[in-house]
Amino acid sequence: MLGDNPVFVVEWHTRRILACNDAVTRVFGFNPEELLGHDTRCLHVSDTAFESFALESEALLQSEHNTYHCRYRMRRKDGSEFPSENLVQVIHDHEEGRVAVVSFVRDLSGCDSADLPGHGLGLDSAHALSMTIPGAVFRRIRDVHGNDRYTYLAGQLVDELGIDPDAAREDPSRVFNLMEPNDRQLLESAIQSTARSGSGIDLVVRFHSPSGKQYWLRIISRPTQLGDGTIVWDGLAIDITGEKQAQAHAAWLADHDRLTGLLNRAEFIAHIERALEAAHKHSQQIALARLAVRGMFKVNEKHGLPGGDALLCQIADRLDDTLPEGSIIARSHGDVFLVKLEIPDNDGGLAAGLRTLQSAFDAPFDLGDLNPAHVSASIGIARYPEDADTTDDLLRAVALAGDRAHKHPEVDYEFYDREISEAMRQRFQLEDRLRQAIAEEQLEPYYQPQISLSDGRLVGLEALVRWPQADGSLIMPGAFIPLAEEVGLSGRIGRLMLRRVAHDLHTWSANGWTTVPVAVNCSARQFRDTKLVRAYEQEVLEQGLDPGLIHLELTETSFIDNYDNAKRIMDQLNGLGVTFSIDDFGTGFSALSYLSRLPFRVLKIDRSFVAEILDEAHQRNVVQGLIQMASTIGLYIIAEGVETAEQEAELRCMGSDAAQGFYYSPALPAADIPHWHAALSKKLDGV
Ligand code: C2E
Ligand code: CA
Ligand code: CA
C-alpha cells in the first residue's frame, strides 16, 4: 500500500519539509515533528549526495514532466542506509522558480526490482498518495465556456471538512462556502488572475468545518492551458493548522505568563507605555496597583509548589473576573501582580477599584485540602500624573508603595504618597462602615415639619437620613451622602429610606396619629436608576400605603442633562400616583418653563435665598419673581431654612405657601413627631 510509505511535501528552493506522514517514523526513525521545517539533508547519505540529488532533480524539473521517479540510497536516523525509490509529483512552479513537490519514498531493502512502479503516478496511486498527506489534492478545470468544476478532489481534509466530493466536483462553491469570506475573495481573485497570467497560486486560507473547527490551508497550484482552451489547476491544499497554532502559541507565550495566562511583566510595561501616551494626550489619570500575596510562603510550605501555583492561578482568575473592563492585569513575578486601574473622574472610582482588588481575596481558596486557604494581599498604589509621569518612575513608585504595604501587615494598601494614603484609608473605612450600616438597616429617617404660612398648621414632613452611632451621636447626611453617590450606594439608601418611612407612617396611624404627606429625598444618581420605580412599588405601594403620602424630592441635577429620561421615569411614577417636589430651587440653572413640562407639584426655595431676603434687595426681588412665576404655573411653594419670625413674615408676604426650618423645628425622630404636633395644635388652638 502506498499509504504505508513515507510521503513528504517539500518546498523545493529551500528543501524544507512542509509536511510528512507518520510512516516516516517506521522507515527513517524520525518523528514527523523532528523533520517539519528542516531540510531533507538528514535523509541523504552524505552532503554530497544531498547536493547532487538537488542538481539532478533540478534538471528533471526543467523538463515538461510533472512527475518523475528516481532511485538512490537514503539514511535513517540511526545512520544506517537503505536503497530507496522516490516518486516525485511537482505541485507548483511559480515565476520565482519556486517548486513544491510531494515526494513519495519507498524502502527497497529486500525488494525485487520487478515490483518497482514505472514513470508517473496513476490515478489510483495519486488517490492513495492524497490520502496520506495532511490536506487534499485537487484538479480544478475551467471549460471553454468559463464553467469551473473539480475533476479530482481527495484527501484526509475532504473528509474532515465534511465535503461530499461528488457534489463538490460539480459545484465548487460547496468547498468555497466553508472558507472565511475574506480569504475566499482572495482565493477567487487569485484564480481569476492566474487563469489570465498562467502564474501560480500560493496562498494561505482559513476553512471552517461544519463543527466550527478552524483549519489553515496552504493552497499551492499552477494553471496549465490545454490545446482546446480548457484551463487546469492541479494543486495541493496542505493542512498547516498545527504550524499556525504553534506560531500563535509561541506569539502568545512571548507576552503572557505561562502559569496564569495573564500578561507578563514586559507586555504589561508595553501597555502602560501606550496608556501613558494616551492619558497624556487626553489629560486622564491612571493608577497602578502592585499586589503581593501575603502568606505565600506558608501555602508553599503546606501544599508544595503545585499548591502555590494553583493558588496563583485562582487569584489570577478572580482578578480577571472581577476587575472592570479597561483594567489590565499582569503577573510580574512570583506572587506579585500588577494592575492598571481605570480612574473614571474622581477618587471614588479609585476606591471602588481598590475594593474590587481586595474583594478577590474575600472568599477562601480551594487548594484541594479539607480546609480552604485564606490569604490576603498587600497593595501599593501609584498614580499618573500625581506621583510620576514616566513608565519607569511609575513602576518605581508603585514598587515602593507596594513594599511599604507589604511590610505592614496591619494595612491593606499604601499610596505612594503618605497623606493620600491616610485620606484614602479613612474614606475606604467610611465606605466599608456605610455598606455595613445599610445592610443592617442602621440608617433612619428624622422628620422636619413643614408649616402652612396661612394658618401655621403642619402640612407635611421632610424625611432626612441620619446615621446613629454607638456613642449616641448622629452622622449627618453631608458626611456620607456624597460618598454614597460616588460609590453607587445612594440607590440602596433611597430604598431603605422608603422602607423606613413607610414603616413609620404605618406606626403613626396605628397609634392614632393623623398622618401628613412625607417628602423623601431622591439623589440624582438614584433617580437615573430605573430600579427606582420598582423600589417605590415594593416599599410603598405593596405595603398598602397611599402613594399620595410619600412624595419624592428631586434636585435640578436629576434632569439637567437628562431631560427625556427624567421625564419618562417621572411620568411612570406619576402614573402610579407619586408627586414630586423640586428641591434647592434657584441653585441650579433650570428655567421655570422647562420645569413646567415635568409633573412637579411643589417648589422648594433654597435656604441660601431665604437667608438673604432681609438684607439683600436683589435676592429679595429674585425670590419674589420666582414665587410669582411658580404660582402662575400652579406650583405649591415651600421656603426652606426659615430661622426667624422676620423671614417667615417676609415670605408670607411674598406669597410662599409654606415654610420649613429651625424656626419651627429641626428634624426629629419619628416617635417625637406626634408629640411635637400635639404641642403645635395646642398652641394654635389655645387649649
Ligand atoms: P436638603 O434636602 O436641602 O435638606 C435640608 C437640609 O437643611 C437638612 O440638612 C436640614 O437639617 C437643614 N435645615 C433645615 N432647616 C434649616 C434651617 O433653618 N437652617 C439651616 N441652616 N439648615 C436647615 P441635613 O439633614 O443635614 O441634610 C443635608 C442634605 O443631605 C439634604 O439637603 C439632602 O440633600 C441630603 N439628604 C438628606 N437626607 C437624604 C436622603 O434620605 N437621601 C438623599 N439622597 N439625600 C438626603
Ligand atoms: Ca430636600
Ligand atoms: Ca433643600
Side-chain angles (χ1 to χ4, degrees):
M1 268 282 293
L2 280 164
D4 294 336
N5 291 308
V7 181
F8 297 91
V9 179
V10 178
E11 188 176 49
W12 201 253
H13 78 291
T14 59
R15 312 298 318 253
R16 241 168 30 98
I17 299 170
L18 300 177
C20 58
N21 64 355
D22 289 337
V24 298
T25 312
R26 185 178 52 76
V27 173
F28 287 95
F30 286 105
N31 285 326
E33 298 75 49
E34 293 177 280
L35 294 172
L36 290 178
H38 295 282
D39 65 25
T40 55
R41 192 179 298 267
C42 61
L43 307 176
H44 289 269
V45 293
S46 65
D47 284 358
T48 337
F50 168 68
E51 273 141 30
S52 67
F53 176 71
L55 283 175
E56 198 178 307
S57 30
E58 201 65 50
L60 278 166
L61 289 167
Q62 300 302 324
S63 71
E64 288 295 285
H65 299 291
N66 273 349
T67 315
Y68 67 93
H69 89 272
C70 52
R71 290 185 202 175
Y72 55 99
R73 295 187 74 70
M74 299 196 84
R75 188 170 58 177
R76 301 190 179 94
K77 186 178 181 182
D78 63 9
S80 58
E81 297 175 10
F82 65 95
S84 75
E85 183 190 51
N86 272 31
L87 286 174
V88 181
Q89 168 97 36
V90 181
I91 299 297
H92 168 57
D93 167 2
H94 71 55
E95 275 131 25
E96 299 124 59
R98 286 212 323 182
V99 183
V101 298
V102 177
S103 179
F104 160 72
V105 179
R106 208 159 114 116
D107 182 353
L108 293 183
S109 8
C111 206
D112 190 329
S113 63
D115 15 277
L116 296 183
H119 283 270
L121 281 171
L123 205 60
D124 282 352
S125 54
H127 184 71
L129 173 64
S130 68
M131 294 312 285
T132 67
I133 59 162
V137 176
F138 61 85
R139 169 170 286 178
R140 180 183 175 118
I141 68 167
R142 174 168 297 178
D143 65 21
V144 287
H145 307 294
N147 297 322
D148 284 13
R149 66 195 161 90
Y150 290 106
T151 57
Y152 185 76
L153 180 63
Q156 292 172 357
L157 197 77
V158 176
D159 293 344
E160 281 172 41
L161 285 172
I163 297 171
D164 171 2
D166 291 330
R169 263 174 217 130
E170 289 315 312
D171 179 9
S173 70
R174 284 179 182 253
V175 176
F176 276 52
N177 285 345
L178 301 173
M179 220 180 295
E180 187 90 11
N182 286 344
D183 295 358
R184 175 183 178 153
Q185 260 184 355
L186 272 181
L187 185 57
E188 279 170 346
S189 58
I191 292 174
Q192 298 309 342
S193 74
T194 59
R196 284 191 298 274
S197 66
S199 58
I201 296 174
D202 186 346
L203 267 184
V204 174
V205 295
R206 286 156 297 174
F207 274 75
H208 294 278
S209 75
S211 67
K213 182 178 170 199
Q214 193 183 53
Y215 288 86
W216 292 83
L217 300 186
R218 178 167 176 191
I219 312 281
I220 305 172
S221 173
R222 179 192 179 148
T224 319
Q225 180 132 24
L226 303 184
D228 65 352
T230 306
I231 306 172
V232 179
W233 286 268
D234 277 326
L236 191 65
I238 308 163
D239 183 355
I240 56 165
T241 311
E243 206 177 305
K244 278 280 175 195
Q245 282 168 344
Q247 276 171 10
H249 190 60
W252 186 87
L253 281 181
D255 42 31
H256 286 78
D257 169 46
R258 263 167 216 251
L259 176 66
T260 59
L262 296 177
L263 294 183
N264 60 23
R265 184 179 166 91
E267 191 54 22
F268 182 79
I269 293 174
H271 267 279
I272 296 305
E273 252 152 26
R274 290 194 292 274
L276 286 193
E277 258 171 51
H280 178 71
K281 216 183 277 168
H282 303 112
S283 316
Q284 287 162 334
Q285 291 176 284
I286 288 180
L288 282 201
R290 178 185 185 276
L291 189 148
V293 182
R294 289 196 198 275
M296 193 67 202
F297 173 70
K298 275 199 199 134
V299 171
N300 280 336
E301 207 173 47
K302 184 164 175 215
H303 299 270
L305 285 184
D309 285 354
L311 174 65
L312 293 174
C313 289
Q314 288 177 37
I315 293 173
D317 285 350
R318 287 197 195 166
L319 291 174
D320 206 24
D321 288 348
T322 49
L323 283 167
E325 239 175 88
S327 322
I328 295 171
I329 316 160
R331 178 169 169 233
S332 172
H333 58 274
D335 57 10
V336 176
F337 297 85
L338 286 170
V339 181
K340 186 198 110 189
L341 289 170
E342 292 284 289
I343 314 185
D345 44 17
N346 53 44
D347 282 348
L350 182 53
L354 285 173
R355 237 207 108 59
T356 317
L357 274 182
Q358 285 187 327
S359 69
F361 293 84
D362 286 350
F365 294 88
D366 180 7
L367 300 179
D369 201 348
L370 277 183
N371 302 318
H374 283 274
V375 291
S376 61
S378 64
I379 301 175
I381 301 120
R383 295 156 315 146
Y384 166 91
E386 290 90 331
D387 303 330
D389 57 5
T390 66
T391 309
D392 280 353
D393 288 350
L394 199 56
L395 287 167
R396 209 167 295 131
V398 81
L400 265 175
D403 265 358
R404 215 163 50 205
H406 210 66
K407 282 194 197 114
H408 297 101
E410 73 286 358
V411 309
D412 291 332
Y413 58 88
E414 192 82 61
F415 276 78
Y416 179 63
D417 183 317
R418 265 287 165 88
E419 262 171 44
I420 295 178
S421 243
E422 196 40 46
M424 284 301 281
R425 200 180 336 276
Q426 282 176 7
R427 210 188 138 87
F428 211 28
Q429 267 172 4
L430 181 68
E431 184 190 331
D432 264 352
R433 290 183 46 221
L434 182 58
R435 278 178 197 277
Q436 198 182 348
I438 295 170
E440 292 172 3
E441 306 206 350
Q442 289 171 14
L443 304 185
E444 58 182 67
Y446 270 44
Y447 297 91
Q448 186 172 37
Q450 298 172 329
I451 303 298
S452 160
L453 287 179
S454 56
D455 58 12
R457 305 253 168 212
L458 180 70
V459 286
L461 297 167
E462 176 175 5
L464 295 161
V465 65
R466 298 291 181 260
W467 181 5
Q469 300 299 295
D471 64 3
S473 66
L474 292 176
I475 300 187
M476 302 301 271
F480 63 90
I481 289 286
L483 174 73
E485 281 271 281
E486 270 174 24
V487 301
L489 288 172
S490 52
R492 294 178 56 195
I493 294 182
R495 180 182 267 265
L496 178 57
M497 284 294 280
L498 285 176
R499 181 179 312 154
R500 297 292 302 257
V501 170
H503 175 262
D504 288 340
L505 278 163
H506 270 302
T507 314
W508 284 326
S509 67
N511 292 342
W513 183 59
T514 345
T515 49
V516 289
V518 178
V520 174
N521 289 283
C522 178
S523 73
R525 180 150 170 190
Q526 183 191 351
F527 181 70
R528 287 199 196 104
D529 183 352
T530 47
K531 291 200 224 64
L532 174 64
V533 180
R534 189 76 205 107
Y536 196 91
E537 284 173 339
Q538 284 177 342
E539 305 298 346
V540 180
L541 302 182
E542 287 170 21
Q543 304 309 313
L545 279 170
D546 172 1
L549 272 182
I550 298 187
H551 71 259
L552 298 176
E553 267 185 27
L554 308 179
T555 55
E556 289 161 275
T557 41
S558 298
F559 45 81
I560 210 98
D561 300 321
N562 191 29
Y563 180 82
D564 291 337
N565 192 37
K567 179 154 172 54
R568 200 173 44 75
I569 299 177
M570 284 179 83
D571 286 342
Q572 219 173 331
L573 284 163
N574 204 225
L576 299 173
V578 184
T579 56
F580 298 92
S581 328
I582 170 84
D583 202 357
D584 301 342
F585 190 82
T587 53
F589 305 97
S590 17
L592 270 179
S593 61
Y594 187 61
L595 293 181
S596 66
R597 284 177 279 139
L598 295 169
F600 283 109
R601 183 80 61 82
V602 175
L603 181 142
K604 298 185 76 177
I605 296 178
D606 190 65
R607 69 166 181 270
S608 60
F609 287 96
V610 172
E612 290 176 347
I613 45 172
L614 294 178
D615 316 326
E616 292 256 347
H618 171 70
Q619 285 305 48
R620 195 187 177 287
N621 291 338
V622 171
V623 175
Q624 178 75 74
L626 273 179
I627 292 177
Q628 271 168 8
M629 281 191 289
S631 306
T632 55
I633 56 172
L635 291 169
Y636 186 86
I637 294 150
I638 302 181
E640 294 187 295
V642 177
E643 293 182 355
T644 64
E646 293 75 22
Q647 285 170 341
E648 180 192 66
E650 188 66 30
L651 286 159
R652 184 182 297 113
C653 215
M654 290 161 95
S656 179
D657 297 298
Q660 167 184 350
F662 294 164
Y663 177 58
Y664 312 99
S665 168
L668 302 171
D672 294 354
I673 290 293
H675 306 294
W676 185 89
H677 187 215
L680 175 73
S681 305
K682 202 166 157 190
K683 194 171 90 192
L684 292 174
D685 302 335
V687 260

